[in-house]
Structures are given as C-alpha cells and as structure tokens.
Amino acid sequence: MNKSECELFLEKLLDTEDPDRAAALLNDPHASGCSDCLEQVKQFAQLLKTVSGVPLVAPPVSIRQHFYQALHQEMGVAKAPATIRRISFGWVAAACLLLVAGAATVYQFMGRNVSRVETGTSARVAIEPVLPVISVAERVNGISTATEEQPEDPKLVATLLNILERDKNPHVRMAAFYGLTKYKAMNEVHNRLVSVLQSEQDPMMQVLLINFLTETKEPRALDAVRAIITNKKTRKEVKTLALSKI
Amino acid sequence: MKQLFLFISLCTVTNLFSQQYRHPVGGASQLKMVNIPADVEVHASDGSDIEITYIAENGKTIAAQGNSGIALQVQSTGNAIEIKGLLSKRISGRYVLQVPRKLSMDIRSDGITGELNGEGIQGDINIITTGNVSLEDMGGGIAVQSADGNVAIRKPALSHGKPVSVITQGGNVFIALNSGTNTELKLGTATGHILLSYNTSKKGNMLFSGKQLSTPLGKGGPTLQVQTLSGNVSVNQAQ
C-alpha cells in the first residue's frame, strides 16, 4: 500500500475523537484494503472507547502547561494554545496515561521509574519529556495521594521502594518512605528497608529508617545500625540517635 | 511644604541606591534563581513582568554586569526564566523581585547564600539554600531544603494537592498554620525537639512534644512533612 495514502488515512483517524466515528472508519475503502491501517483503526477505536468511559480528572495547571509546552515542542509548534479543542493522538495517548484507571494517574507523577499503563508505544514518546518538569511538590503529593487511595496495590509498593532506593530528591524519597510505613506488615518492605539502610548515605534518610526499623523491632536492622555508629563519616546527630535505639 | 520636600528628597536618595531591571514573563511558567550571593525577596505583584530591584546598603551600588545591569544574567530558556548571579562574593544589598501573582510559577533557587523571603506566590516553590528562608501566604506546594538556615513558613495554603516539605540539618523550622487547616503531619528530628500546639474544633488544643509525630490534623489532607537532624520543629496556629 502507498505510504502517503496510509499517512493521510492515519491523519484522518487521529483527528477523530468520537469512538463511534473511529469505529466507522473500519469500513473506509482504504482500511479495508490495508491490514496495517485496519489494525490501527481497531486499536484506536478501542482506546477512545476506554477513555470515554473514564471520568475526567483535571490535572494541576502547572502540569497542563508543562505538558502542552513539551508536546508542542516535539511537534515543532512554537507556542502552545490556551486550549486544545481538537484531540490529537498525542493528547489522547497522554490522556490515557493521565486518566485511565483512576490511581494510575497518580503513578505518572511519582517518578521516572513508575509502572505505566500500557496504551501503546506512542504514548510513552509523548509523555516522557513531560515528567522531569513536574515540581517536587507535585511528586510528593502524587505519592501521598496514591498511598491513600491504593493501600493494597502491590505495584504501588514496588514503585515506592523503587523511588526510595533510586530517586535523587530527598523530599520525594521522604514521601515514599512515609508511604511505605503503611506496609510495615509486609516482609518484602522490611527486607528492602534494611537493605536501603545498609547503604544509605543521606543522614535524613538514616534517621527515618533507624526510627522505623528499631520501633518495628526488626532484628535484621541491628547490624546496619551498628555499622552506622562505627562509621567515621556518620553525622553525630545520627550516631546519637542510633546509640539511643540499640 | 517641608514634609513634601523631605518626602521628595527621601525618594531621590532611595532611587540613587536602588537599580532596577524588568524582564517579560512571556509564556514562562518557571522561575529559576541560581547562585545569588545576596538576600532575596520575592513578592507577588499584579504586573505582567518580573521586576528586579537591587537595593544597596551603605550607599554602594552594584557592578553593572550582566544584561540586567545589576550583576544578574536574566534569560528566558524554554518555559523557564533563569536569573543567575554573576558575583562570587557575598554582597550586603538585597534583590527584591516582583513576580506576577496570577502566573503559576515554580521558583527553584539553588545557591542563594543570603536570606530568602517570599510572599504571596501562587505556584509551587522549590528552594535549596544554605541560608534562612521565610515564606508567607504561599498558594502552591512548598519544598525547602536548607543546611543550617532556619525555615519559617507562615500560613501555607496546604490546599488540595499542595503539600509542604521541609528538610534541614541544624536549622530550626517554624510553621504557623491557618486555623481550620486539614493536613497530614509527618514530623521528625534526630536530636532536636518537636513542639506542636494547635487548636482543632474536634480534638480541642492538640499538644505534642517529642521527636517524631505522624498524625492527621483536622480531617487530614495534603502532607506537611518536616525532617531535621538537630534543628527544632515548631508547628502552631497563626495569630
């Protein structure tokens, strides 16, 4: 099939925001003769149907602004419009990432190592550049909100542990830590927190971990606490606290 | 007549020791301040430009460096406006910034060695500094990291989705909350002391003294997390 014909057809498809209209394109003469485009129509119609059934959640103004600017930079557009009435594929895909499946929205704001909702590879292309410009406060809020709304979600626990272990921002790590304290009954959480304490260099995190692990009477933490006490580089405040806990 | 003359004279003298620069905000949504070796004040304004005034002390004007002419290089890059200090030594004057109130702005200051005072900003604010920080009536989320500087936050919005997070080592933290604030408190210190005194309609006066506190205040809500090493933490009701 002629590539330009496919491109023209896909442009028409991506400008469609109504799921019924997208489904109607299944009968388009081009689609009926092109298996690749036919598959695209099916997937896109399903995507729109999924999105249309999800209640809209208004993202914070700053996220919306960052999103539009990043998206339009990618598209080579100089300035983002105040409102976007027509839905482009990038917007639909991003909307899925932001809106589909309720709490999955929050995961998007929590970090780069977040489990994402699968909506197709194009979605990631659209959303990836947006994440680093989310403010620290928005990330802290995302974590707090997620832990309140999804208390039993194992993916969330994995995400929080990932943030605690790898994120560079101390505010975000602290929020992840407090989120994890809600899962103190989980053995996996204890194992990982002990592991984090063994290699932790940030005094603030050392304090949080020592307090939590000693108060939950985690025996495996004792060696790590002793190592912190004997380490010459440990801050005296942390040493004082650690000595008072063992 | 004599008073008018004195007023005009005072204004003239003030103008002699203050230098000003304006920068259009355009489509920017973020303000970054980097390596500013002076005290900084940030106020919300009704204008559409960022207005920076350098107020000298002891009659010393500042070197006419950078595109601002006040030892700051100010430039728009992408969605951010970056203000970069060009002097390496601490200076005794102060920079006063007027920032459009209606604009949602993230203020990220890295390397301000003087005091930072902010008032009325509606966007999120992220501060990394070694000096004191004082913020009042901030409408957005707040993240402050200071080594040994004290951090005072008065009447933070703590509205939906707008948490407050403060980390210091030796610096003390003072938080004065509006009455009726609903928040999730997460306070901790290694060797400092936490003092909470807050009047709630349901529980009456909440009092706490210790080293760790994790509790909802009011109905709970956005997180207010504070962690220090030796700094004291005080949370009370704004008068």
Side-chain angles (χ1 to χ4, degrees):
Chain A
M1 185 56 68
N2 187 319
K3 191 180 175 185
S4 62
E5 277 182 35
C6 291
E7 284 174 349
L8 286 171
F9 175 76
L10 289 173
E11 275 181 19
K12 189 164 65 173
L13 171 67
L14 298 180
D15 278 341
T16 308
E17 56 186 273
D18 178 41
D20 292 333
R21 280 184 59 201
L25 287 173
L26 287 168
N27 300 320
D28 185 278
H30 174 83
S32 56
C34 175
S35 58
D36 288 344
C37 288
L38 187 66
E39 185 58 29
Q40 290 287 334
V41 175
K42 284 179 186 172
Q43 288 184 11
F44 192 63
Q46 182 59 42
L47 182 67
L48 287 177
K49 195 177 172 186
T50 307
V51 172
S52 65
V54 176
L56 283 173
V57 178
V61 173
S62 53
I63 288 185
R64 199 164 61 235
Q65 286 175 341
H66 295 326
F67 169 74
Y68 285 143
Q69 278 168 348
L71 181 63
H72 280 255
Q73 276 170 6
E74 280 188 292
M75 293 163 68
V77 178
K79 192 178 176 184
T83 55
I84 296 178
R85 300 299 300 172
R86 289 176 57 175
I87 296 181
S88 65
F89 183 69
W91 171 235
V92 171
C96 290
L97 281 168
L98 292 169
L99 305 175
V100 169
T105 305
V106 187
Y107 290 22
Q108 295 304 319
F109 305 142
M110 287 164 45
R112 297 176 189 83
N113 303 310
V114 171
S115 306
R116 294 192 171 86
V117 179
E118 289 296 329
T119 56
T121 52
S122 299
R124 295 188 181 195
V125 174
I127 200 75
E128 276 297 340
V130 181
L131 291 174
V133 295
I134 292 173
S135 76
V136 174
E138 282 166 338
R139 295 187 69 205
V140 168
N141 181 63
I143 291 169
S144 307
T145 308
T147 49
E148 282 166 25
E149 293 180 357
Q150 301 288 317
E152 303 297 329
D153 190 341
K155 280 186 185 172
L156 176 59
V157 176
T159 302
L160 293 175
L161 285 166
N162 212 2
I163 292 169
L164 183 71
E165 288 168 347
R166 297 179 189 182
D167 207 282
K168 289 179 180 174
N169 189 286
H171 299 283
V172 175
R173 293 187 76 206
M174 181 156 60
F177 165 80
Y178 280 119
L180 285 166
T181 59
K182 296 185 178 180
Y183 305 93
K184 57 185 174 188
M186 290 177 67
N187 201 35
E188 169 67 7
V189 171
H190 273 248
N191 288 343
R192 298 274 285 273
L193 291 183
V194 170
S195 172
V196 172
L197 181 60
Q198 285 167 344
S199 58
E200 185 60 57
Q201 302 295 314
D202 181 348
M204 184 269 295
M205 283 310 304
Q206 287 175 329
V207 169
L208 288 170
L209 290 164
I210 290 170
N211 276 332
F212 176 76
L213 291 170
T214 54
E215 281 161 21
T216 54
K217 303 188 189 310
E218 173 53 63
R220 290 166 292 180
L222 279 177
D223 285 344
V225 174
R226 287 195 186 103
I228 284 171
I229 291 168
T230 55
N231 188 337
K232 288 179 182 174
K233 290 180 181 174
T234 303
R235 294 265 314 204
K236 65 177 181 183
E237 297 91 343
V238 180
K239 278 187 185 178
T240 304
L241 174 77
L243 282 166
S244 72
K245 295 288 182 181
I246 58 170
Chain B
M1 192 63 186
K2 191 178 176 183
Q3 285 174 327
L4 182 65
F5 175 75
L6 281 171
F7 177 73
I8 292 169
S9 301
L10 187 65
C11 290
T12 308
V13 169
T14 306
N15 280 335
L16 279 175
F17 298 118
S18 69
Q19 297 156 273
Q20 206 170 67
Y21 173 75
R22 277 176 182 271
H23 191 88
V25 167
S29 61
Q30 194 176 77
L31 172 63
K32 293 181 182 177
M33 295 188 281
V34 186
N35 293 333
I36 300 180
D39 293 347
V40 175
E41 290 178 23
V42 184
H43 300 278
S45 77
D46 294 323
S48 56
D49 293 345
I50 291 178
E51 185 183 298
I52 310 170
T53 307
Y54 176 74
I55 299 174
E57 286 194 2
N58 306 325
K60 290 181 181 175
T61 52
I62 198 165
Q65 292 182 18
N67 62 347
S68 67
I70 47 176
L72 298 174
Q73 184 68 27
V74 185
Q75 59 186 28
S76 298
T77 50
N79 71 337
I81 294 169
E82 184 173 282
I83 302 174
K84 194 172 181 181
L86 300 175
L87 300 177
S88 54
K89 284 185 180 175
R90 177 89 162 86
I91 49 178
S92 57
R94 69 182 193 278
Y95 290 103
V96 179
L97 279 74
Q98 301 287 339
V99 176
R101 181 190 309 278
K102 292 176 184 174
L103 211 64
S104 174
M105 299 196 84
D106 299 332
I107 297 179
R108 300 179 186 206
S109 65
D110 195 351
I112 290 181
T113 53
E115 290 196 4
L116 175 62
N117 299 310
E119 171 265 324
I121 306 299
Q122 297 305 302
D124 291 348
I125 184 162
N126 179 26
I127 298 168
I128 302 169
T129 181
T130 53
N132 296 337
V133 176
S134 175
L135 305 172
E136 183 160 355
D137 289 325
M138 307 302 268
I142 299 170
V144 180
Q145 196 180 344
S146 178
D148 290 321
N150 296 325
V151 178
I153 302 176
R154 189 172 159 76
K155 299 183 177 179
L158 277 168
S159 53
H160 180 68
K162 302 296 178 188
V164 172
S165 182
V166 181
I167 295 170
T168 74
Q169 294 181 359
N172 298 319
V173 180
F174 307 92
I175 313 264
L177 300 173
N178 287 309
S179 60
T181 295
N182 296 308
T183 181
E184 199 70 36
L185 290 175
K186 313 274 187 196
L187 312 176
T189 176
T191 59
H193 197 83
I194 296 169
L195 188 61
L196 167 73
S197 174
Y198 191 83
N199 217 349
T200 61
S201 54
K202 278 189 176 177
K203 296 179 181 174
N205 196 23
M206 279 179 76
L207 288 171
F208 174 83
S209 171
K211 294 198 182 300
Q212 283 184 85
L213 177 65
S214 187
T215 183
L217 193 67
K219 297 171 186 170
T223 304
L224 167 51
Q225 59 182 23
V226 179
Q227 185 69 37
T228 75
L229 287 183
S230 59
N232 297 319
V233 181
S234 166
V235 178
N236 55 34
Q237 204 149 355
Q239 299 299 314

